[in-house]
Amino acid sequence: MPDQKVNMNTVWFKDAKGFGRMKGDNLQTQIAIPVLKGGSGEGANPQQLLMSSTIACYSLTLAYMLDHKKVPVAGFFMDTEGNIARGNQLSITHRPHVVLSSGASKEDITVVEALFLQAEEKCHIGQLLVKAGVPVGTEGKVSIDAGDDLTSNYIEQHQLEW
């Protein structure tokens, strides 16, 4: 008997140039075959969905670890880059940027820098990919809030819904 059960629903419209929809308890997205593979490109493709799993796992793991260590975080954001080489070899690099509150110490910065790697090692989705031969890496950055509200600027710059 599984400890946790995840159910999702999927529907597909038309042929390979069509699109589909996926829905789960807290996820709903459109999916499509990429244009380069003869599809419409009007939705997330399998590589994007795989990357989104590693992004969610890494982000949530890092957020938990930061909270557990009681690091004074003002916010954090992250860019993730996936590269697909010949033979469909995927590699993933997370670039988290943690913004600490203005009263943060040098020790807080050191803790965050250590947590970047620890979160990568504890993220079970990323580790599954590593075991499957997918390189997953992290290049983190820490800064102290100087009143610039870097997190809100990031949200606006990347047009992330809030």
Side-chain angles (χ1 to χ4, degrees):
M1 183 97 172
D3 291 337
Q4 182 179 0
K5 189 175 182 179
V6 177
N7 291 308
M8 295 190 71
N9 309 102
T10 308
V11 63
W12 187 262
F13 299 96
K14 302 183 183 179
D15 56 16
K17 290 202 183 290
F19 63 95
R21 292 200 179 109
M22 291 175 35
K23 181 180 180 287
D25 289 339
N26 294 304
L27 173 69
Q28 185 169 336
T29 192
Q30 189 160 308
I31 57 174
I33 298 170
V35 173
L36 292 173
K37 303 269 184 178
S40 69
E42 294 178 12
N45 65 51
Q47 290 87 355
Q48 290 169 321
L49 293 169
L50 181 62
M51 283 181 58
S52 69
S53 294
T54 64
I55 291 165
C57 184
Y58 182 87
S59 297
L60 298 175
T61 302
L62 181 59
Y64 174 82
M65 294 174 116
L66 291 165
D67 184 64
H68 183 73
K69 294 285 187 181
K70 302 196 181 335
V71 177
V73 177
F76 85 83
F77 44 91
M78 185 169 74
D79 293 322
T80 298
E81 182 179 297
N83 288 297
I84 303 169
R86 292 179 197 247
N88 285 328
Q89 177 60 48
L90 175 66
S91 65
I92 298 172
T93 304
H94 300 299
R95 294 188 178 91
H97 183 162
V98 174
V99 181
L100 300 177
S101 61
S102 59
S105 67
K106 288 183 181 182
E107 181 182 322
D108 292 325
I109 293 170
T110 302
V111 168
V112 173
E113 289 171 340
L115 290 179
F116 287 141
L117 181 59
Q118 289 176 31
E120 181 181 319
E121 293 169 349
K122 297 289 184 190
C123 169
H124 60 281
I125 301 296
Q127 289 306 303
L128 282 171
L129 290 177
V130 168
K131 287 179 185 174
V134 176
V136 178
T138 303
E139 299 171 2
K141 178 179 179 179
V142 184
S143 60
I144 296 180
D145 185 14
D148 299 335
D149 197 1
L150 296 173
T151 305
S152 292
N153 291 342
Y154 184 88
I155 291 168
E156 186 178 321
Q157 178 184 3
H158 294 281
Q159 300 174 355
L160 296 169
E161 293 180 23
W162 188 249

